[in-house]
Amino acid sequence: MARRLDVTGADGVRLAAWDFTPGAAPQAGPGVLLLHGLMGHAAHWSPAVERLAAAAHSDAAAGPPHRPRTVALDQRGHGHSDKPPTASFTREAYVADAAAAVEQLGLGPVTLIGHSMGALTAWQLAAERPDLVHALVICDMRASALGAASQREWRDWFRRWPTPFPSLDAVRRWFGEDDPWVERPNPARGAFFAEVMAEHPDGWRPVFDPEQMLTSRETWVHDAHWESLAQVRCPTLVVRGLDGELGRAEAQEMVRVLPHGAYAEIPDAGHLLHYEHADAWREAVGPFLNGVLTA
């Protein structure tokens, strides 16, 4: 059971963090900070964290398992964290929030693991505050610009959501089967979105504000991020799902640009690689994490 921790982010925004570390008391010293993607929340990391903990336990015969303090952050506008005014959803605010979590929870120098938008936040923090970051894992996030057409597609997609949903089963069915963006049935995707719905008198709605999600995306979708990526000096793993949003050629170029980059991919995985294929994700990132966490 994760323990809730409170963090004060940029401009006084209250952020919820969740400590997944086994044991009754928080540990001090370098740890791991997990940053979810757009529309996600901290608990989406649970399957991946459980697999990493199980792997550490199974390796105990070779010595005591190394279990660093592992914390996942509900980023602003997501999960149990505050939903400040839309103008507050800037790249600078997201990065400052992550830095605040590292400093206030005593996690530094931290190993950052980010998915999608959370991965961008992670590498921007690593570039700006190398003193805080020991290592980095980038999960299925592109460094190239996606452009205005992509932003329009997302706005149209939000408008097609049949909210409010009458039930969580309806949520799972729409996001896992009926959504026009779904090429084939994907129960894991349906479950992913069911986790970020809350019940209201008229039905189930997302815990986030779609307009705020669009604003968050607006701040990075038009720009390329190769320059900040090249400024990351710590060991970095770029991991992609074979059917995800980050193509192999771009991922390998990201590895080339990184001063200390490495590459991994997960067969049969899509964008939600850590959530829908937690075992394969652990196999892909585990060796890298073992190396940097015991260094």
Side-chain angles (χ1 to χ4, degrees):
M1 184 70 178
R3 297 182 296 275
R4 175 167 172 167
L5 307 169
D6 289 322
V7 173
T8 301
D11 304 318
V13 171
R14 183 190 57 83
L15 304 171
W18 303 88
D19 193 332
F20 288 96
T21 313
Q27 302 175 12
V32 175
L33 181 65
L34 301 150
L35 299 174
H36 61 74
L38 192 71
M39 303 181 294
H41 71 154
H44 279 146
W45 288 105
S46 294
V49 171
E50 290 171 1
R51 300 312 193 279
L52 289 173
H57 181 76
S58 67
D59 291 340
H66 183 68
R67 298 181 184 178
R69 190 177 180 197
T70 302
V71 177
L73 183 67
D74 276 337
Q75 298 181 80
R76 60 176 54 212
H78 297 77
H80 292 271
S81 291
D82 282 350
K83 282 72 176 172
T86 299
S88 301
F89 290 85
T90 64
R91 280 283 84 221
E92 293 77 11
Y94 276 110
V95 173
D97 288 347
V102 174
E103 293 178 321
Q104 293 173 32
L105 300 178
L107 296 171
V110 73
T111 295
L112 288 174
I113 303 177
H115 171 244
S116 194
M117 183 191 73
L120 176 59
T121 300
W123 91 56
Q124 289 179 331
L125 176 59
E128 295 175 17
R129 293 291 307 274
D131 58 306
L132 292 183
V133 184
H134 172 64
L136 175 65
V137 177
I138 296 171
C139 297
D140 214 61
M141 179 61 189
R142 300 180 63 180
S144 59
L146 301 181
S150 172
Q151 188 72 352
R152 288 194 297 270
E153 289 172 359
W154 271 67
R155 183 172 293 279
D156 291 342
W157 177 59
F158 275 127
R159 288 170 178 165
R160 289 198 297 268
W161 288 19
T163 50
F165 294 92
S167 67
L168 283 180
D169 281 342
V171 174
R172 296 185 188 98
R173 184 169 58 253
W174 197 82
F175 287 102
E177 300 178 22
D178 299 338
D179 182 352
W181 282 12
V182 175
E183 296 181 358
R184 57 183 181 273
N186 187 341
R189 188 174 186 268
F192 181 95
F193 280 97
E195 285 194 27
V196 290
M197 294 288 161
E199 189 173 15
H200 295 263
D202 61 347
W204 293 82
R205 297 177 181 275
V207 298
F208 51 79
D209 180 345
E211 280 299 321
Q212 292 185 342
M213 299 299 99
L214 286 169
T215 298
S216 296
R217 198 170 186 272
E218 184 79 28
T219 63
W220 55 263
V221 72
H222 300 290
D223 301 317
H225 305 283
W226 294 101
E227 184 176 350
S228 60
L229 189 70
Q231 294 171 5
V232 175
R233 299 296 171 184
C234 63
T236 302
L237 177 69
V238 177
V239 56
R240 61 179 288 268
L242 203 61
D243 298 320
E245 297 181 7
L246 174 61
R248 179 182 285 124
E250 183 171 352
Q252 292 177 342
E253 179 64 12
M254 290 169 67
V255 172
R256 189 194 67 79
V257 166
L258 285 158
H260 304 285
Y263 174 76
E265 66 181 31
I266 302 175
D268 302 322
H271 183 57
L272 305 177
L273 61 175
H274 64 294
Y275 183 83
E276 60 182 350
H277 291 283
D279 286 319
W281 183 87
R282 189 263 303 166
E283 291 175 4
V285 305
F288 174 83
L289 291 177
N290 287 340
V292 298
L293 291 173
T294 58

Short mmCIF file of all heavy atoms in Angstrom, two decimals, residues 228-272:
data_model
loop_
_atom_site.label_atom_id
_atom_site.label_comp_id
_atom_site.label_asym_id
_atom_site.label_seq_id
_atom_site.Cartn_x
_atom_site.Cartn_y
_atom_site.Cartn_z
N SER A 228 17.60 20.37 -25.33
CA SER A 228 17.61 20.02 -23.90
C SER A 228 18.03 18.58 -23.70
O SER A 228 18.71 18.24 -22.72
CB SER A 228 16.23 20.28 -23.28
OG SER A 228 15.23 19.50 -23.90
N LEU A 229 17.68 17.69 -24.63
CA LEU A 229 18.09 16.29 -24.52
C LEU A 229 19.61 16.18 -24.55
O LEU A 229 20.20 15.41 -23.78
CB LEU A 229 17.47 15.48 -25.66
CG LEU A 229 17.62 13.97 -25.57
CD1 LEU A 229 16.79 13.39 -24.44
CD2 LEU A 229 17.22 13.31 -26.89
N ALA A 230 20.24 16.95 -25.43
CA ALA A 230 21.70 16.88 -25.56
C ALA A 230 22.41 17.40 -24.32
O ALA A 230 23.60 17.11 -24.11
CB ALA A 230 22.14 17.68 -26.78
N GLN A 231 21.71 18.15 -23.48
CA GLN A 231 22.29 18.70 -22.26
C GLN A 231 22.23 17.74 -21.08
O GLN A 231 22.76 18.03 -20.02
CB GLN A 231 21.60 20.02 -21.91
CG GLN A 231 21.84 21.12 -22.93
CD GLN A 231 20.96 22.34 -22.68
OE1 GLN A 231 20.24 22.40 -21.69
NE2 GLN A 231 21.02 23.31 -23.58
N VAL A 232 21.57 16.59 -21.27
CA VAL A 232 21.47 15.60 -20.20
C VAL A 232 22.79 14.84 -20.10
O VAL A 232 23.19 14.16 -21.05
CB VAL A 232 20.30 14.62 -20.47
CG1 VAL A 232 20.28 13.52 -19.42
CG2 VAL A 232 18.98 15.37 -20.49
N ARG A 233 23.47 14.94 -18.99
CA ARG A 233 24.80 14.35 -18.84
C ARG A 233 24.80 13.04 -18.07
O ARG A 233 25.84 12.37 -18.01
CB ARG A 233 25.72 15.36 -18.13
CG ARG A 233 25.89 16.66 -18.89
CD ARG A 233 26.60 16.42 -20.22
NE ARG A 233 26.59 17.61 -21.07
CZ ARG A 233 27.08 17.63 -22.30
NH1 ARG A 233 27.61 16.53 -22.81
NH2 ARG A 233 27.03 18.72 -23.03
N CYS A 234 23.69 12.66 -17.49
CA CYS A 234 23.66 11.43 -16.69
C CYS A 234 23.35 10.22 -17.57
O CYS A 234 22.87 10.37 -18.70
CB CYS A 234 22.61 11.55 -15.58
SG CYS A 234 20.92 11.73 -16.18
N PRO A 235 23.62 8.99 -17.09
CA PRO A 235 23.23 7.80 -17.85
C PRO A 235 21.73 7.81 -18.12
O PRO A 235 20.92 8.07 -17.22
CB PRO A 235 23.62 6.65 -16.91
CG PRO A 235 24.67 7.22 -16.02
CD PRO A 235 24.31 8.67 -15.83
N THR A 236 21.36 7.53 -19.37
CA THR A 236 19.96 7.63 -19.78
C THR A 236 19.58 6.44 -20.65
O THR A 236 20.29 6.11 -21.60
CB THR A 236 19.70 8.93 -20.56
OG1 THR A 236 20.06 10.05 -19.74
CG2 THR A 236 18.25 9.05 -20.96
N LEU A 237 18.44 5.83 -20.33
CA LEU A 237 17.89 4.74 -21.14
C LEU A 237 16.66 5.26 -21.88
O LEU A 237 15.74 5.79 -21.26
CB LEU A 237 17.51 3.56 -20.26
CG LEU A 237 16.85 2.37 -20.99
CD1 LEU A 237 17.87 1.68 -21.90
CD2 LEU A 237 16.26 1.39 -19.99
N VAL A 238 16.65 5.10 -23.19
CA VAL A 238 15.47 5.41 -24.01
C VAL A 238 14.78 4.09 -24.32
O VAL A 238 15.36 3.21 -24.97
CB VAL A 238 15.86 6.13 -25.32
CG1 VAL A 238 14.63 6.38 -26.18
CG2 VAL A 238 16.59 7.44 -25.01
N VAL A 239 13.55 3.93 -23.85
CA VAL A 239 12.82 2.68 -24.05
C VAL A 239 11.51 2.97 -24.78
O VAL A 239 10.83 3.94 -24.47
CB VAL A 239 12.58 1.95 -22.71
CG1 VAL A 239 11.85 2.82 -21.71
CG2 VAL A 239 11.83 0.65 -22.91
N ARG A 240 11.21 2.13 -25.76
CA ARG A 240 10.01 2.34 -26.56
C ARG A 240 9.24 1.04 -26.71
O ARG A 240 9.80 -0.06 -26.64
CB ARG A 240 10.36 2.87 -27.96
CG ARG A 240 11.24 1.92 -28.78
CD ARG A 240 11.54 2.46 -30.16
NE ARG A 240 10.38 2.43 -31.03
CZ ARG A 240 10.08 1.40 -31.84
NH1 ARG A 240 10.86 0.33 -31.89
NH2 ARG A 240 9.02 1.45 -32.61
N GLY A 241 7.93 1.18 -26.89
CA GLY A 241 7.13 0.04 -27.29
C GLY A 241 7.19 -0.10 -28.79
O GLY A 241 7.20 0.90 -29.53
N LEU A 242 7.25 -1.32 -29.27
CA LEU A 242 7.38 -1.54 -30.70
C LEU A 242 6.22 -0.92 -31.48
O LEU A 242 6.39 -0.49 -32.62
CB LEU A 242 7.47 -3.05 -30.99
CG LEU A 242 8.15 -3.46 -32.28
CD1 LEU A 242 9.60 -2.99 -32.31
CD2 LEU A 242 8.09 -4.97 -32.46
N ASP A 243 5.04 -0.87 -30.85
CA ASP A 243 3.87 -0.25 -31.47
C ASP A 243 3.51 1.07 -30.81
O ASP A 243 2.35 1.51 -30.87
CB ASP A 243 2.67 -1.21 -31.39
CG ASP A 243 2.92 -2.50 -32.15
OD1 ASP A 243 3.51 -2.43 -33.25
OD2 ASP A 243 2.54 -3.57 -31.64
N GLY A 244 4.46 1.70 -30.16
CA GLY A 244 4.20 2.96 -29.47
C GLY A 244 4.28 4.17 -30.38
O GLY A 244 4.28 4.05 -31.61
N GLU A 245 4.41 5.33 -29.77
CA GLU A 245 4.42 6.59 -30.52
C GLU A 245 5.84 7.03 -30.91
O GLU A 245 6.00 7.87 -31.78
CB GLU A 245 3.73 7.68 -29.70
CG GLU A 245 2.26 7.38 -29.44
CD GLU A 245 1.56 8.46 -28.65
OE1 GLU A 245 2.19 9.52 -28.40
OE2 GLU A 245 0.40 8.25 -28.26
N LEU A 246 6.84 6.48 -30.25
CA LEU A 246 8.23 6.80 -30.55
C LEU A 246 8.78 5.77 -31.52
O LEU A 246 8.88 4.58 -31.19
CB LEU A 246 9.05 6.81 -29.25
CG LEU A 246 10.56 7.01 -29.39
CD1 LEU A 246 10.89 8.35 -30.04
CD2 LEU A 246 11.23 6.88 -28.02
N GLY A 247 9.11 6.20 -32.73
CA GLY A 247 9.64 5.29 -33.73
C GLY A 247 11.08 4.88 -33.43
O GLY A 247 11.80 5.58 -32.71
N ARG A 248 11.49 3.76 -34.01
CA ARG A 248 12.83 3.24 -33.73
C ARG A 248 13.92 4.22 -34.20
O ARG A 248 14.90 4.46 -33.48
CB ARG A 248 13.03 1.89 -34.39
CG ARG A 248 14.44 1.32 -34.14
CD ARG A 248 14.66 -0.02 -34.84
NE ARG A 248 13.96 -1.08 -34.13
CZ ARG A 248 13.07 -1.89 -34.70
NH1 ARG A 248 12.74 -1.72 -35.97
NH2 ARG A 248 12.50 -2.85 -34.01
N ALA A 249 13.76 4.78 -35.38
CA ALA A 249 14.80 5.68 -35.91
C ALA A 249 14.97 6.90 -35.01
O ALA A 249 16.10 7.31 -34.71
CB ALA A 249 14.46 6.10 -37.34
N GLU A 250 13.84 7.48 -34.57
CA GLU A 250 13.94 8.65 -33.70
C GLU A 250 14.52 8.27 -32.35
O GLU A 250 15.34 8.99 -31.78
CB GLU A 250 12.58 9.33 -33.52
CG GLU A 250 12.66 10.58 -32.67
CD GLU A 250 11.37 11.38 -32.65
OE1 GLU A 250 10.45 11.04 -33.42
OE2 GLU A 250 11.28 12.34 -31.87
N ALA A 251 14.11 7.12 -31.81
CA ALA A 251 14.64 6.67 -30.53
C ALA A 251 16.15 6.49 -30.59
O ALA A 251 16.90 6.88 -29.68
CB ALA A 251 13.96 5.38 -30.10
N GLN A 252 16.63 5.89 -31.68
CA GLN A 252 18.06 5.66 -31.81
C GLN A 252 18.83 6.97 -32.02
O GLN A 252 19.97 7.10 -31.57
CB GLN A 252 18.32 4.67 -32.93
CG GLN A 252 17.81 3.27 -32.58
CD GLN A 252 17.98 2.26 -33.70
OE1 GLN A 252 18.17 2.62 -34.86
NE2 GLN A 252 17.91 0.98 -33.36
N GLU A 253 18.19 7.93 -32.67
CA GLU A 253 18.81 9.25 -32.79
C GLU A 253 18.87 9.94 -31.43
O GLU A 253 19.85 10.62 -31.11
CB GLU A 253 18.04 10.11 -33.79
CG GLU A 253 18.58 11.52 -33.97
CD GLU A 253 19.99 11.55 -34.56
OE1 GLU A 253 20.50 10.51 -35.03
OE2 GLU A 253 20.60 12.64 -34.54
N MET A 254 17.85 9.75 -30.61
CA MET A 254 17.88 10.30 -29.25
C MET A 254 19.05 9.70 -28.46
O MET A 254 19.76 10.42 -27.75
CB MET A 254 16.55 10.02 -28.54
CG MET A 254 15.38 10.82 -29.10
SD MET A 254 13.75 10.28 -28.48
CE MET A 254 13.89 10.71 -26.74
N VAL A 255 19.27 8.40 -28.61
CA VAL A 255 20.39 7.76 -27.93
C VAL A 255 21.71 8.33 -28.42
O VAL A 255 22.64 8.56 -27.64
CB VAL A 255 20.34 6.23 -28.15
CG1 VAL A 255 21.61 5.56 -27.63
CG2 VAL A 255 19.11 5.63 -27.48
N ARG A 256 21.79 8.59 -29.73
CA ARG A 256 23.02 9.15 -30.28
C ARG A 256 23.28 10.55 -29.74
O ARG A 256 24.44 10.92 -29.45
CB ARG A 256 22.94 9.19 -31.81
CG ARG A 256 24.26 9.55 -32.49
CD ARG A 256 24.07 9.90 -33.94
NE ARG A 256 23.32 11.16 -34.10
CZ ARG A 256 23.87 12.37 -33.97
NH1 ARG A 256 25.16 12.49 -33.64
NH2 ARG A 256 23.14 13.45 -34.14
N VAL A 257 22.22 11.34 -29.60
CA VAL A 257 22.37 12.72 -29.11
C VAL A 257 22.76 12.76 -27.64
O VAL A 257 23.53 13.62 -27.20
CB VAL A 257 21.05 13.49 -29.35
CG1 VAL A 257 21.03 14.81 -28.58
CG2 VAL A 257 20.86 13.76 -30.84
N LEU A 258 22.25 11.82 -26.87
CA LEU A 258 22.57 11.77 -25.44
C LEU A 258 24.04 11.42 -25.23
O LEU A 258 24.56 10.48 -25.83
CB LEU A 258 21.70 10.73 -24.75
CG LEU A 258 20.24 11.11 -24.53
CD1 LEU A 258 19.38 9.86 -24.34
CD2 LEU A 258 20.11 12.04 -23.32
N PRO A 259 24.73 12.14 -24.36
CA PRO A 259 26.14 11.81 -24.10
C PRO A 259 26.34 10.42 -23.52
O PRO A 259 27.37 9.78 -23.77
CB PRO A 259 26.56 12.90 -23.10
CG PRO A 259 25.64 14.05 -23.38
CD PRO A 259 24.33 13.42 -23.74
N HIS A 260 25.36 9.92 -22.75
CA HIS A 260 25.48 8.61 -22.14
C HIS A 260 24.15 7.86 -22.32
O HIS A 260 23.49 7.49 -21.35
CB HIS A 260 25.84 8.73 -20.65
CG HIS A 260 27.09 9.51 -20.40
ND1 HIS A 260 28.35 9.00 -20.64
CD2 HIS A 260 27.28 10.78 -19.96
CE1 HIS A 260 29.26 9.90 -20.34
NE2 HIS A 260 28.64 11.00 -19.93
N GLY A 261 23.78 7.64 -23.57
CA GLY A 261 22.48 7.04 -23.88
C GLY A 261 22.55 5.56 -24.13
O GLY A 261 23.57 5.02 -24.58
N ALA A 262 21.44 4.88 -23.84
CA ALA A 262 21.28 3.46 -24.13
C ALA A 262 19.85 3.26 -24.64
O ALA A 262 18.98 4.11 -24.45
CB ALA A 262 21.55 2.61 -22.89
N TYR A 263 19.63 2.11 -25.27
CA TYR A 263 18.36 1.88 -25.97
C TYR A 263 17.76 0.53 -25.58
O TYR A 263 18.48 -0.45 -25.39
CB TYR A 263 18.59 1.91 -27.48
CG TYR A 263 17.39 1.54 -28.31
CD1 TYR A 263 16.34 2.44 -28.49
CD2 TYR A 263 17.30 0.29 -28.93
CE1 TYR A 263 15.23 2.11 -29.26
CE2 TYR A 263 16.20 -0.05 -29.71
CZ TYR A 263 15.18 0.87 -29.86
OH TYR A 263 14.09 0.53 -30.63
N ALA A 264 16.43 0.50 -25.45
CA ALA A 264 15.71 -0.76 -25.23
C ALA A 264 14.34 -0.63 -25.87
O ALA A 264 13.78 0.47 -25.96
CB ALA A 264 15.57 -1.07 -23.75
N GLU A 265 13.80 -1.76 -26.34
CA GLU A 265 12.45 -1.75 -26.88
C GLU A 265 11.70 -2.97 -26.38
O GLU A 265 12.29 -3.99 -26.01
CB GLU A 265 12.45 -1.68 -28.40
CG GLU A 265 13.00 -2.89 -29.10
CD GLU A 265 12.96 -2.72 -30.62
OE1 GLU A 265 13.07 -1.59 -31.11
OE2 GLU A 265 12.81 -3.75 -31.31
N ILE A 266 10.37 -2.85 -26.36
CA ILE A 266 9.51 -3.90 -25.83
C ILE A 266 8.60 -4.39 -26.94
O ILE A 266 7.73 -3.64 -27.41
CB ILE A 266 8.67 -3.39 -24.64
CG1 ILE A 266 9.61 -2.86 -23.54
CG2 ILE A 266 7.77 -4.49 -24.10
CD1 ILE A 266 8.88 -2.22 -22.38
N PRO A 267 8.76 -5.62 -27.40
CA PRO A 267 7.89 -6.16 -28.46
C PRO A 267 6.43 -6.20 -28.01
O PRO A 267 6.14 -6.41 -26.83
CB PRO A 267 8.44 -7.57 -28.68
CG PRO A 267 9.82 -7.55 -28.12
CD PRO A 267 9.79 -6.58 -26.98
N ASP A 268 5.52 -5.97 -28.96
CA ASP A 268 4.08 -6.06 -28.74
C ASP A 268 3.52 -4.97 -27.83
O ASP A 268 2.31 -4.96 -27.55
CB ASP A 268 3.70 -7.43 -28.14
CG ASP A 268 4.14 -8.59 -29.02
OD1 ASP A 268 4.03 -8.45 -30.25
OD2 ASP A 268 4.59 -9.61 -28.48
N ALA A 269 4.35 -4.07 -27.34
CA ALA A 269 3.87 -3.01 -26.46
C ALA A 269 3.52 -1.76 -27.26
O ALA A 269 4.16 -1.45 -28.27
CB ALA A 269 4.92 -2.66 -25.41
N GLY A 270 2.51 -1.04 -26.79
CA GLY A 270 2.15 0.25 -27.36
C GLY A 270 2.67 1.38 -26.49
O GLY A 270 3.67 1.24 -25.78
N HIS A 271 1.96 2.49 -26.52
CA HIS A 271 2.40 3.67 -25.79
C HIS A 271 2.39 3.45 -24.27
O HIS A 271 3.24 3.97 -23.56
CB HIS A 271 1.51 4.86 -26.16
CG HIS A 271 1.91 6.15 -25.52
ND1 HIS A 271 3.16 6.70 -25.68
CD2 HIS A 271 1.21 7.00 -24.72
CE1 HIS A 271 3.23 7.84 -25.02
NE2 HIS A 271 2.07 8.04 -24.42
N LEU A 272 1.46 2.67 -23.77
CA LEU A 272 1.33 2.44 -22.32
C LEU A 272 2.19 1.26 -21.89
O LEU A 272 1.75 0.39 -21.15
CB LEU A 272 -0.13 2.21 -21.96
CG LEU A 272 -1.11 3.31 -22.41
CD1 LEU A 272 -2.54 2.92 -22.05
CD2 LEU A 272 -0.74 4.66 -21.81
#
